[in-house]
Amino acid sequence: MKAGIELGTNTTGQPALLDLEELLSTRLLVQGNSGSGKSHLLRRLLEQSAGMVQQAIIDPEGDFVSFSERFGHTVVDAERSPSELQRIALRIRQHRASVVLNLEGLDAEEQMRCAAAFLNGLFDADRSVWYPMLITVDEAQIFAPAVAGEVSDEARRLSLGAMTNLMCRGRKRGLAGVIATQRLAKLAKNVAAEASNFLMGRT
């Protein structure tokens, strides 16, 4: 799958390309302060690869719901039971559909629980459906926080476990993690450490 995703231009004015095949065989961490362009970069990456690879977008703010009309992604409203989200994730892998998990409107703990259930469904799918899939998680510090916050220990454990599986063990299942965060210090070290490619913004 030799395809380049154009991220911009380099100092000589030539296109700066990210190799899609390399991205799918590794993991990517995008870091930058609020307003530095993380979501814009993720959108560009996803838009340019939409027709080439299956995608799952964990969307805490509803920023990517428009992908349904533009690229045919299925939008899954996360206000469902964990078991239902796991079943949906399995069907998504079976049918090789691209999906946006819309978490907008849920509190932080519910976002963590729903994202964990969905990611676990993708991860636990049968070997026969381990097709290449780009898994993008914006505001990853919500789902893999470095320290316990105001959410319950159980919700943090579930979410952190699912994110760790994605970044540590997802590659052989065809799952390529792309995570974005405002500050590395807010992100759990065992999740951040698995990224082999980095795009760093203002910090």
Side-chain angles (χ1 to χ4, degrees):
M1 187 184 297
K2 290 294 181 185
I5 300 168
E6 187 175 336
L7 300 180
T9 57
N10 60 26
T11 54
T12 65
Q14 298 298 311
L17 300 177
L18 179 64
D19 184 80
L20 182 57
E21 185 177 15
E22 176 71 15
L23 181 61
L24 289 172
S25 64
T26 57
R27 291 159 295 276
L28 173 66
L29 172 63
V30 180
Q31 189 265 325
N33 287 353
S34 178
S36 64
K38 293 186 308 301
S39 294
H40 177 76
L41 186 146
L42 290 181
R43 179 175 291 274
R44 189 176 183 92
L45 188 157
L46 290 164
E47 286 176 346
Q48 292 199 25
S49 63
M52 296 182 278
V53 65
Q54 184 183 8
Q55 300 174 345
I57 306 168
I58 308 300
D59 186 5
E61 301 292 339
D63 293 332
F64 296 94
V65 172
S66 62
F67 274 45
S68 173
E69 293 182 7
R70 294 189 60 195
F71 303 107
H73 288 53
T74 299
V75 176
V76 175
D77 185 349
E79 291 188 38
R80 304 169 188 266
S81 70
S83 60
E84 188 176 2
L85 286 170
Q86 286 183 312
R87 287 195 301 271
I88 290 172
L90 175 58
R91 290 200 298 271
I92 288 294
R93 292 216 75 180
Q94 289 171 337
H95 295 288
R96 301 184 75 169
S98 289
V99 62
V100 178
L101 180 66
N102 183 19
L103 298 165
E104 186 180 20
L106 300 181
D107 64 33
E109 182 160 331
E110 282 304 305
Q111 286 192 343
M112 294 173 83
R113 291 180 183 277
C114 291
F118 191 78
L119 288 172
N120 285 334
L122 296 176
F123 185 85
D124 292 336
D126 187 77
R127 181 185 292 268
S128 64
V129 294
W130 286 1
Y131 306 114
M133 190 177 196
L134 203 59
I135 313 291
T136 305
V137 184
D138 200 5
E139 305 297 349
Q141 73 279 354
I142 295 173
F143 308 104
V147 296
E150 297 179 358
V151 299
S152 69
D153 289 341
E154 182 196 9
R156 181 174 180 269
R157 178 183 57 79
L158 289 171
S159 185
L160 184 55
M163 288 288 288
T164 301
N165 276 341
L166 170 65
M167 296 299 284
C168 295
R169 300 168 57 209
R171 186 175 61 85
K172 75 175 185 179
R173 289 168 168 78
L175 304 178
V178 176
I179 60 175
T181 186
Q182 292 181 10
R183 288 182 59 203
L184 285 175
K186 292 182 178 181
L187 190 64
K189 289 183 175 66
N190 60 337
V191 171
E194 292 301 321
S196 36
N197 298 300
F198 300 88
L199 291 172
M200 310 301 285
R202 187 176 67 239
T203 183

